[in-house]
């Protein structure tokens, strides 16, 4: 399955109209996140979306799971802010790198709140579903949990 899936991704042809659609949907997703607009976030995702934080074994599935992911994240870091550093958009989806800041006010990934202001980096991959023209979720790579 893995190699066939990768070949399919590699063979996706670039298309200017699709690129614009992906870019605009990512912008809508980011704006909804900044505004804490869960309905706006869910509108950018397939019904069977998957959220995961790489290396933790944590995974949230579907719109219900995405809602839990964002509720937990925004409760843990109510003042979270993403400062975009880099972005790549292609027919496979979006990959962004950001510096993140926030005050740790609630439990996140089994880490009890410290009340401290934190700064960390993330790389987030938003896989694109070309049939539904929505994102299939997010895979988050972070150094927040590094010792």
């Amino acid at each position: 399955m893995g190699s066939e899936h990768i070949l399919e991704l590699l063979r996706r042809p670039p298309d200017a109209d699709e690129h614009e659609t992906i870019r605009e949907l990512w912008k809508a997703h980011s704006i909804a996140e900044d505004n804490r607009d869960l309905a706006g976030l869910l509108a950018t995702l397939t019904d069977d979306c998957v959220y995961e934080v790489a290396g933790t074994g944590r995974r949230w599935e579907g719109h219900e799971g995405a809602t839990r992911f964002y509720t937990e994240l925004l409760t843990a870091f109510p003042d979270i802010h993403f400062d975009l550093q880099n972005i790549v958009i292609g027919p496979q989806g979006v990959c962004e790198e950001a510096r993140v800041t926030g005050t740790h006010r609630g439990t996140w990934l089994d880490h009890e709140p410290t009340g401290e202001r934190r700064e960390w980096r993330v790389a987030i991959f938003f896989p694109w579903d070309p049939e539904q023209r929505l994102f299939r979720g997010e895979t988050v790579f972070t150094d927040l949990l590094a010792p």
Side-chain angles (χ1 to χ4, degrees):
M1 146 96 187
S3 60
E4 283 300 316
H5 174 69
I6 295 302
L7 287 175
E8 184 264 319
L9 289 173
L10 286 169
R11 291 177 178 149
R12 282 192 188 161
D15 174 273
D17 291 336
E18 184 178 50
H19 183 275
E20 183 66 14
T21 299
I22 294 169
R23 187 172 75 85
E24 290 303 314
L25 192 67
W26 176 85
K27 285 169 43 179
H29 183 94
S30 296
I31 290 167
E33 188 170 64
D34 286 347
N35 291 332
R36 311 305 193 248
D37 174 9
L38 287 176
L41 283 163
L42 295 176
T44 68
L45 303 169
T46 61
D47 288 339
D48 62 348
C49 63
V50 174
Y51 273 69
E52 57 186 318
V53 179
T56 67
R58 299 297 297 268
R59 178 180 171 96
W60 300 260
E61 297 181 4
H63 279 193
E64 180 184 319
T67 298
R68 280 195 327 273
F69 171 86
Y70 279 110
T71 300
E72 291 170 15
L73 177 64
L74 297 174
T75 299
F77 298 95
D79 60 345
I80 197 167
H81 174 74
F82 292 83
D83 183 18
L84 187 65
Q85 301 293 302
N86 206 342
I87 187 167
V88 177
I89 301 172
Q92 299 84 1
V94 175
C95 187
E96 74 170 57
E97 174 191 11
R99 290 202 177 280
V100 185
T101 55
T103 308
H104 193 188
R105 301 274 184 217
T107 303
W108 175 243
L109 301 174
D110 301 324
H111 293 270
E112 294 300 318
T114 64
E116 296 176 356
R117 181 111 175 122
R118 302 287 308 267
E119 182 176 331
W120 66 98
R121 297 177 311 162
V122 294
I124 305 171
F125 178 59
F126 299 78
W128 177 245
D129 185 308
E131 284 78 39
Q132 296 184 61
R133 301 177 70 76
L134 295 167
F135 295 120
R136 291 192 322 262
E138 297 182 27
T139 302
V140 180
F141 300 85
T142 180
D143 65 1
L144 173 63
L145 306 174

